[in-house]
Amino acid sequence: MPILYALVARNKHVLAEYTSSHGNFPTVTRVLLSKIPEQDGRMSYVYDSHIFHYLVDDGITFLCMSDEGMKRRITFSFLDEVKRIFRENYQGVERTALAFSLNDSFAPVLRQQIDTFNTNPTADNISKVKSQIDNVKDVMISNIDRVLERGEKIELLVDKTDKLNHQAFKFEKSSKALKNTMLCKKIKTYILIFVVLGLIGFFVAAMFCGMNFKKCKK
């Protein structure tokens, strides 16, 4: 149940965005950005079988789109981490930056964070989760139809082959991990057998030659 898309925007102006899939959700988000209140807050909007999650902090919107099965705890931890990295690197610049002027430098960060949270569900460590769990509980979730006017809703298209590729990637990664684990066990077994055979050989030789091997030296 991956995060498929993320962006950082000032009002309606997208400063950076990244998607790991193909579809028309960048177009959908442009409509959604015009409906997001400017005051600080968090919200989730159900859009067909996907959910748009966002948080607004001091005029900057951090937004992502995920499958509806993705835990909101993880998506908002993702957004908090993106916000932290963005603030550390672009404090002040965000107020004057032109649309997409930060895309070259920050899109790779979005990609890295999406990959991290998609392939490692425990990326939001327990200490962070405990400190944020109350905030996530208070986040409202609503249907997108409540904020869009008639005719504004666009059919959300997501290339399903990208989902299959993502699942295949996770399967391949887990298969490699299992293969490496089995290889390590195999090597340990060979080492153990070698040590046992060495000890047996030593004791057999000691029986005929003595512990100091003086008999065999003669």
Side-chain angles (χ1 to χ4, degrees), residues 65-194:
M65 186 191 83
S66 69
D67 286 346
E68 60 182 351
M70 189 83 168
K71 293 181 179 179
R72 291 198 297 156
R73 163 179 68 80
I74 296 177
T75 55
F76 279 101
S77 292
F78 164 80
L79 292 176
D80 281 324
E81 182 64 11
V82 170
K83 182 187 75 172
R84 182 190 67 78
I85 298 172
F86 186 83
R87 292 298 190 197
E88 287 180 355
N89 292 277
Y90 301 100
Q91 191 75 39
V93 179
E94 62 200 31
R95 299 297 179 186
T96 56
L98 300 176
F100 290 101
S101 60
L102 304 180
N103 202 60
D104 288 344
S105 58
F106 201 69
V109 176
L110 293 175
R111 176 180 181 177
Q112 181 182 17
Q113 292 304 312
I114 287 176
D115 289 344
T116 298
F117 278 79
N118 281 346
T119 57
N120 182 16
T122 59
D124 56 334
N125 61 59
I126 298 301
S127 60
K128 284 186 178 180
V129 172
K130 287 182 177 179
S131 65
Q132 296 168 358
I133 193 70
D134 291 334
N135 290 334
V136 176
K137 284 181 179 178
D138 293 335
V139 175
M140 293 181 61
I141 183 167
S142 178
N143 194 289
I144 196 69
D145 294 330
R146 293 188 178 183
V147 295
L148 297 184
E149 298 176 5
R150 181 174 297 179
E152 283 188 316
K153 185 173 182 180
I154 304 170
E155 182 182 1
L156 185 61
L157 303 175
V158 180
D159 192 342
K160 293 183 179 180
T161 57
D162 289 287
K163 291 184 183 180
L164 295 176
N165 289 336
H166 175 75
Q167 293 173 354
F169 171 76
K170 291 184 70 175
F171 177 77
E172 181 180 0
K173 186 176 181 180
S174 61
S175 297
K176 287 182 178 179
L178 178 60
K179 185 177 180 181
N180 291 336
T181 302
M182 295 301 293
L183 180 61
C184 287
K185 287 184 178 180
K186 193 173 184 180
I187 292 174
K188 288 179 180 178
T189 301
Y190 285 149
I191 293 175
L192 181 61
I193 292 173
F194 178 78

